[in-house]
Structure formats: C-alpha cells, structure tokens
Amino acid sequence: MIGLLTLFLITCTLSFAQYGLSFIEAKEKGIKLEFLDSIYESGIHDDKSKMVFVGRETEYVEAYKLMLMDLATYLSIHDFKWEKTTKCFNKIYFRSNGSIDYFLFNFKSGDIDATKEQEFIRLLNQFIATYKFSLSSDKKFSQCSPVTYMDL
C-alpha cells in the first residue's frame, strides 16, 4: 500500500511539473529517465508499434522543427546570444495536449560556460511555461534529438 501511494504521489507531482534542466541536474533531483520513458511514449520511432504519431511522421517532424525555431526566436527576442555554434542533445517530454513537462538537455563539453547555461535555463523555463507543441495526442509523448544552436 505504501509503495502504491508513493507511486501515486510521484505520478501526480510529475503530471504538474514543468522543468527545463540538464540531464545532470535531472539526475541530481532524482528524476529518473527510465521512469519518464515508461510513461511517455515516443513521438516517432523506428518501430511503428512504439510510435504515437503513426502516419503523421512528416507533420510531426515539421512541428518539432517549428518548436526548436520558436525556442530560438524566444531566446533571440530576450537578447540571449550563443556567440558561436553550440551543439546540444535534447530530450523533451510532452503532455498529450502538447505542453512541455520536461525539457532535458546536455551541451557538448566546452561549448557553453556555466553563466550562459544558467541564463539558457532561466529563459528555457520561461519558454516552456506557456509553450504548446502544435500537435496533440491521446498519449503523453517524448522526442530526443541532437540540436545545433546558433544566433538568429
């Protein structure tokens, strides 16, 4: 019974959370990727049985690109400057309505200093607080990808 209650509380907490943070910070906060991956299905996947947007792959990829461009625009409007090409890996967890629960990232080592990363996190959290992915589903979904950020 206690285990069931604990799982319920974790699930409730996760269902209302919105976080933009590095993979390292997520681990330090006890956010387990294995758990997230068990409750968020893949937006697209090589195996169609594991894919949320079956038959809508092109539309989904375009929506994902649009989201990354919207983030880049948001950062630019708020005077965030990359100053150089910056490589990153993202894994984003979405609610079924397209809201972002978790936007996890890992910059390529040496590509960004700590001060710039903290400013990115601050602006990222502002962005995800109101952003909605342009597609919705009847399931929670996730997407990962390498990204190259640069100034607009």
Side-chain angles (χ1 to χ4, degrees):
M1 183 67 165
I2 292 174
L4 202 60
L5 181 58
T6 301
L7 180 61
F8 174 75
L9 291 174
I10 289 171
T11 303
C12 287
T13 301
L14 291 175
S15 68
F16 296 108
Q18 286 186 302
Y19 294 105
L21 63 166
S22 71
F23 283 97
I24 294 167
E25 288 175 305
K27 184 177 181 180
E28 289 170 354
K29 291 182 181 278
I31 298 168
K32 299 192 181 314
L33 298 183
E34 299 82 16
F35 176 72
L36 292 178
D37 290 339
S38 74
I39 61 174
Y40 294 82
E41 296 185 33
S42 295
I44 57 174
H45 195 281
D46 291 338
D47 180 349
K48 289 190 186 268
S49 70
K50 297 179 181 178
M51 178 188 308
V52 171
F53 292 95
V54 176
R56 299 173 67 191
E57 294 90 343
T58 301
E59 182 183 11
Y60 179 79
V61 168
E62 290 305 312
Y64 185 71
K65 288 179 190 175
L66 175 63
M67 182 204 63
L68 293 174
M69 194 63 191
D70 288 345
L71 173 58
T73 301
Y74 185 87
L75 294 171
S76 180
I77 288 169
H78 289 86
D79 298 319
F80 184 88
K81 301 287 185 220
W82 292 104
E83 299 169 3
K84 65 178 183 173
T85 300
T86 306
K87 295 190 181 285
C88 188
F89 182 81
N90 296 332
K91 182 137 190 191
I92 307 165
Y93 295 90
F94 299 91
R95 294 179 196 161
S96 60
N97 71 1
S99 296
I100 298 171
D101 281 333
Y102 291 91
F103 189 119
L104 305 180
F105 62 87
N106 188 41
F107 289 107
K108 182 179 174 190
S109 181
D111 264 9
I112 189 169
D113 66 44
T115 302
K116 188 171 291 297
E117 184 172 343
Q118 288 307 307
E119 180 63 4
F120 172 76
I121 291 169
R122 186 182 73 77
L123 291 171
L124 175 63
N125 278 293
Q126 289 176 3
F127 175 79
I128 67 174
T130 59
Y131 190 82
K132 278 205 177 172
F133 193 71
S134 62
L135 298 179
S136 60
S137 171
D138 60 346
K139 301 173 185 175
K140 294 180 176 188
F141 58 97
S142 66
Q143 185 60 48
C144 62
S145 70
V147 178
T148 301
Y149 291 111
M150 60 186 79
D151 293 327
L152 297 180

